[in-house]
Amino acid sequence: ELGARVFEDLSRYYQRNGHQADSLLALSSALELREQALGATHPDLVDGWTQLLELNRKVGNTEAIRPIQQRLVPLLRAAGENHLRKHRVADAATLLKRALELEEHLPDPPTDLAKRYHELAVLVKENRLPGAEELFQKALSLQQDSAEGAPEATLQSYYELADRHRANRKLAEAEVQARKALELAEKVHGTESKELVPYLKLLAEILKSANRYSDATDFESRAMMLRFKR
């Protein structure tokens, strides 16, 4: 650890004096020592690799950026999961989001990115943290091209986003997403399915919050009919 700190100080010295190549070399040496001491996947390596990524971006070393991004992803995820185990949800969400953003820009992004964006959005929403709407929107954006193949995932994202907007009193946005959810649910399950009940009830709640009680009653009545349909 002492040797790593010496190299980090040396890196900062070189950077202040405009010696970017020497700064990169010193920072790489610091990371190498830390990996030897902590192990290659230790979450405490996140800051060092992040610094190395930003320094390479600063000097325009594009060839080095992608391997560093690939190296950072498992570290960010490990650090995020470590925070979750310690119930530090806000810190965990920040790191897990960074990992997803890096994965999104890899040459071959994972096929489950939309699912994991949705899961992170739910985590953020349930813990009443800011940023859930953005994450749900990202999940929906990634699902756009594959909505026909995984409509249930899209339904969940529409529903959760509408509910989040409702909780934040963004009722116009909530209604838009809730109607999209209901429309897709009808396509997937049919117009007479009991599976429509939660989407109808959510839309009714949104309309009641907007003082549109007559419109809300129509959806509540339909939900009740479907719920008790044999």
Side-chain angles (χ1 to χ4, degrees):
E1 178 60 28
L2 180 59
R5 290 182 182 178
V6 169
F7 276 114
E8 284 179 339
D9 290 341
L10 190 59
S11 175
R12 285 190 286 269
Y13 170 80
Y14 283 137
Q15 194 170 351
R16 284 195 303 269
N17 288 278
H19 302 296
Q20 304 295 351
D22 291 329
S23 179
L24 280 169
L25 184 60
L27 188 55
S28 296
S29 298
L31 275 171
E32 185 177 343
L33 287 174
R34 281 225 167 86
E35 285 190 341
Q36 291 174 5
L38 301 174
T41 60
H42 198 283
D44 286 353
L45 297 172
V46 166
D47 288 343
W49 279 102
T50 300
Q51 291 172 22
L52 190 62
L53 176 63
E54 294 306 318
L55 190 52
N56 275 283
R57 281 175 173 164
K58 184 177 179 180
V59 302
N61 190 4
T62 55
E63 291 184 1
I65 289 174
R66 186 165 292 167
I68 295 173
Q69 289 175 324
Q70 292 172 322
R71 183 71 183 83
L72 253 176
V73 167
L75 292 174
L76 287 166
R77 292 176 68 175
E81 290 163 4
N82 184 52
H83 280 305
L84 277 180
R85 285 191 292 271
K86 297 177 180 178
H87 307 289
R88 297 195 292 256
V89 181
D91 293 329
T94 298
L95 293 171
L96 293 172
K97 181 185 176 187
R98 283 176 57 196
L100 287 170
E101 289 169 344
L102 287 178
E103 288 182 273
E104 192 179 346
H105 293 96
L106 292 175
D108 298 306
T111 57
D112 65 342
L113 272 182
K115 177 177 179 289
R116 287 194 283 127
Y117 264 112
H118 175 87
E119 291 171 348
L120 181 57
V122 171
L123 176 70
V124 169
K125 173 178 176 272
E126 289 178 346
N127 286 273
R128 299 181 180 180
L129 297 170
E133 295 93 337
E134 176 191 351
L135 292 167
F136 282 126
Q137 291 282 15
K138 174 58 74 173
L140 283 166
S141 175
L142 291 170
Q143 290 159 3
Q144 290 280 318
D145 296 335
S146 59
E148 292 299 321
E152 289 294 343
T154 305
L155 270 174
Q156 290 175 16
S157 293
Y158 275 138
Y159 181 94
E160 294 286 356
L161 180 57
D163 190 46
R164 183 62 176 173
H165 282 320
R166 179 195 60 78
N168 288 336
R169 302 294 299 175
K170 297 178 180 178
L171 299 179
E173 294 94 330
E175 182 181 353
V176 169
Q177 301 302 329
R179 287 187 182 276
K180 287 180 179 180
L182 178 58
E183 181 181 353
L184 181 57
E186 288 174 334
K187 289 180 180 178
V188 173
H189 301 294
T191 57
E192 300 300 318
S193 171
K194 290 184 179 182
E195 297 293 332
L196 303 183
V197 170
Y199 304 98
L200 290 164
K201 291 177 70 173
L202 176 60
L203 188 50
E205 287 297 319
I206 293 166
L207 293 170
K208 283 194 290 186
S209 297
N211 298 320
R212 293 165 57 189
Y213 297 103
S214 177
D215 293 336
T217 299
D218 293 339
F219 290 104
E220 284 182 324
S221 298
R222 186 180 170 197
M224 186 173 296
M225 289 177 62
L226 290 175
R227 184 178 179 185
F228 294 102
K229 181 181 177 181
R230 292 185 178 181

